[in-house]
Amino acid sequence: MVVMQQRPLALDDSRPIWHAMLIFLVPLMISNVLQSASATLNSIYLGRLIGVTRWRPVGVLPGRLLHDRVLHRDRDGSSVLIGQAYGARDEARLKAVAGTTLTLAIGSGSSSAAPAGSFCRPLLHLIGTPLDVFDDSLSYARVMFLGLPVLFVYLSYTTFVRGTGDSRTPLLALIVSTVLILVFTPALILGWIGLPRLGVASAAYANILANFIALLYLLFALAAEKNPLALDSSIIRHMKLEPRLLAALIRIGIPTGLQMVMVSLAEIAVISLVNRFGSSATAAYGAVNQMSRTSSFRRSRSGCASIFGAQSIGARRFDRLRKIARAGVSLNWIIGAVLIGIVYAFNDSILRLFITDAGVIATAHELLAITLWSYVLFGTSSVLSGLMRSSGTVLWPTLLSIISIWGVEVPVAYTLAPKPGCAGVWIAYPVRSLAASHSRRSTTTSSGGARSSRCCSRATRSNR
């Protein structure tokens, strides 16, 4: 576990930068796999214990998409500020960032959960959710939103710890959460030891309970190691909205939040298009989304580059930024190619774990064949975007992401869908990946190393 006395991993000159990044990236990738596995396990339980039709809403629920995106709004800003403070060896600022972010997480989680009962039904109607899964979708969405306050605090704390270069401790907490989900979900589906049978909502309730216990584990682990981020009186004293830190979080978080919302709205638009082809297409879409999250490890690549860049900027080691970019892109291509190859080789066996319908499996095979390879291209843009965000530069990554999705993916999907059918929707994904990868490389190359250093220096001074 990381303590302030240790040298930041991003600044370790005793090993190549790619080696340090790999040390950090491996637990982050395993965490990504476990997060996807927990969603997949819920689908397996629901598909096998309840029925294939009733689990279909879980993977593509619009509330789930908004939840997955919105929770990253404040985390991106806090990970940058935590990384910069840790790189500068500024423990007081580290605690101040943590306290302000926790206050913001509790407030935003509570405000997101409050209207859950009123807007879920209209949203499901808006996107044309199939009637045969509507009631289950509504039940799942309402429970999921009610658990957002706990989830926001838990994910905020994992972000803090990773910002210091420690990806191992959050992984251990996630293992606790995943194991508990393995137990809680079937227990609530089947009503073990007198528990109520909660149907599709069992998956949502299980996640809330597991996340709460994992948060307690994480807090106890940090306290036992006397980590500067342990939830003690010094952190609690900083649990207020400090104006300068709040301004920095907003400056980074609002564009990132806007990007996440636009991404979610785009996915909702695509889902509404997929829904026109029937619930089998919807189920295949959800299954492939879960598999692609595992193999693409997009969040891991972007997060690793962002944290290493932030620590280097905090220490004013701008010379390491180009090395981080080169190492991150190289690791993306090597690891991404291996993971995608494995999924292609065993995709039939993986799909059959939680899908029994032959038509759904065939549709999912088609989607994987068309889209999965392109995620390694999209990974290049993720690495470069993460490195740009590490300096607090969020405008260009946000604009490029929105353009690649709303200017490329959605129009292509709606243009091609009427002729080749559902395959036209799938083709939009690799087209988007190609556009995003090209635009990120062009923007980064044109900016120049000297200009990047000046921007990073200004960002560091303004954040202080």
Side-chain angles (χ1 to χ4, degrees):
M1 185 173 294
V2 177
V3 294
M4 283 296 284
Q5 288 74 22
Q6 291 181 336
R7 185 176 181 79
L9 191 60
L11 306 177
D12 187 356
D13 294 313
S14 66
R15 55 168 67 103
I17 191 67
W18 68 264
H19 188 197
M21 292 182 74
L22 187 61
I23 291 173
F24 180 83
L25 190 58
V26 168
L28 207 59
M29 288 170 54
I30 296 173
S31 297
N32 185 55
V33 170
L34 284 177
Q35 287 173 331
S36 298
S38 64
T40 301
L41 287 169
N42 282 337
S43 297
I44 293 172
Y45 282 137
L46 294 173
R48 297 291 184 179
L49 300 180
I50 295 179
V52 65
T53 301
R54 296 190 64 191
W55 74 265
R56 290 173 181 175
V58 175
V60 295
L61 192 65
R64 184 184 182 88
L65 292 174
L66 288 169
H67 146 278
D68 285 344
R69 306 300 182 185
V70 171
L71 62 85
H72 291 283
R73 179 187 61 193
D74 301 323
R75 292 172 61 204
D76 278 0
S78 63
S79 66
V80 168
L81 298 182
I82 288 284
Q84 290 182 357
Y86 192 77
R89 322 305 290 143
D90 190 342
E91 185 170 338
R93 181 173 172 81
L94 192 76
K95 292 177 180 290
V97 173
T100 297
T101 306
L102 282 175
T103 303
L104 200 57
I106 293 170
S108 59
S110 300
S111 61
S112 298
S118 59
F119 78 86
C120 287
R121 182 181 292 275
L123 183 58
L124 291 172
H125 280 301
L126 179 65
I127 68 166
T129 302
L131 292 178
D132 59 341
V133 296
F134 188 91
D135 289 340
D136 287 328
S137 297
L138 184 61
S139 173
Y140 183 89
R142 284 174 171 169
V143 175
M144 183 191 67
F145 272 98
L146 290 175
L148 287 183
V150 172
L151 182 64
F152 273 41
V153 173
Y154 169 53
L155 292 177
S156 293
Y157 243 101
T158 60
T159 300
F160 300 160
V161 179
R162 288 186 181 123
T164 65
D166 177 10
S167 56
R168 175 180 169 273
T169 303
L171 171 60
L172 295 177
L174 185 59
I175 291 173
V176 171
S177 174
T178 304
V179 170
L180 291 175
I181 288 173
L182 277 170
V183 177
F184 290 156
T185 303
L188 294 173
I189 291 175
L190 300 175
W192 290 351
I193 59 172
L195 292 172
R197 295 173 179 262
L198 300 176
V200 170
S202 301
Y205 281 111
N207 273 278
I208 294 173
L209 291 171
N211 288 333
F212 178 72
I213 296 173
L215 172 61
L216 292 180
Y217 167 83
L218 186 61
L219 295 178
F220 279 120
L222 295 175
E225 294 291 334
K226 294 181 171 54
N227 189 288
L229 287 171
L231 187 60
D232 55 16
S233 58
S234 61
I235 295 284
I236 294 173
R237 281 198 303 271
H238 284 99
M239 286 188 66
K240 55 187 177 181
L241 298 178
E242 297 189 15
R244 288 187 178 180
L245 290 178
L246 182 60
L249 287 170
I250 290 174
R251 180 172 56 81
I252 300 172
I254 282 185
T256 303
L258 174 62
Q259 175 186 337
M260 296 304 179
V261 169
M262 296 299 288
V263 169
S264 294
L265 292 175
E267 293 200 25
I268 289 172
V270 172
I271 288 172
S272 66
L273 183 60
V274 171
N275 284 341
R276 299 177 187 177
F277 295 94
S279 57
S280 292
T282 304
Y285 180 88
V288 171
N289 267 351
Q290 291 175 15
M291 294 177 66
S292 65
R293 289 189 190 106
T294 303
S295 58
S296 68
F297 72 107
R298 178 173 59 85
R299 294 174 187 170
S300 303
R301 291 170 289 193
S302 178
C304 181
S306 179
I307 289 168
F308 271 63
Q311 289 188 1
S312 300
I313 291 168
R316 305 185 67 78
R317 289 291 305 275
F318 304 125
D319 58 296
R320 296 184 70 82
L321 297 180
R322 284 190 178 275
K323 296 178 182 178
I324 293 170
R326 287 196 296 266
V329 171
S330 298
L331 288 172
N332 161 64
W333 279 90
I334 294 170
I335 299 173
V338 171
L339 290 178
I340 290 173
I342 291 172
V343 172
Y344 271 133
F346 298 101
N347 67 81
D348 188 72
S349 299
I350 298 171
L351 287 171
R352 291 183 184 278
L353 285 174
F354 53 96
I355 298 176
T356 56
D357 187 288
V360 177
I361 292 175
T363 304
H365 276 304
E366 180 184 35
L367 175 53
L368 280 171
I370 294 173
T371 64
L372 192 59
W373 63 271
S374 67
Y375 282 100
V376 73
L377 297 177
F378 197 68
T380 299
S381 65
S382 296
V383 170
L384 298 178
S385 292
L387 193 57
M388 292 172 73
R389 286 192 175 92
S390 69
S391 68
T393 303
V394 292
L395 179 60
W396 276 112
T398 298
L399 290 177
L400 292 174
S401 178
I402 292 174
I403 291 170
S404 68
I405 292 171
W406 279 99
V408 178
E409 178 190 334
V410 175
V412 169
Y414 274 79
T415 300
L416 296 181
K419 292 185 179 179
C422 213
V425 182
W426 311 153
I427 292 170
Y429 285 89
V431 173
R432 178 201 66 182
S433 296
L434 287 168
S437 177
H438 176 73
S439 62
R440 286 316 195 309
R441 284 200 305 268
S442 300
T443 301
T444 305
T445 302
S446 64
S447 64
R451 180 182 172 187
S452 298
S453 295
R454 289 195 299 270
C455 290
C456 293
S457 180
R458 286 197 299 268
T460 305
R461 290 196 300 269
S462 66
N463 287 345
R464 289 175 181 169

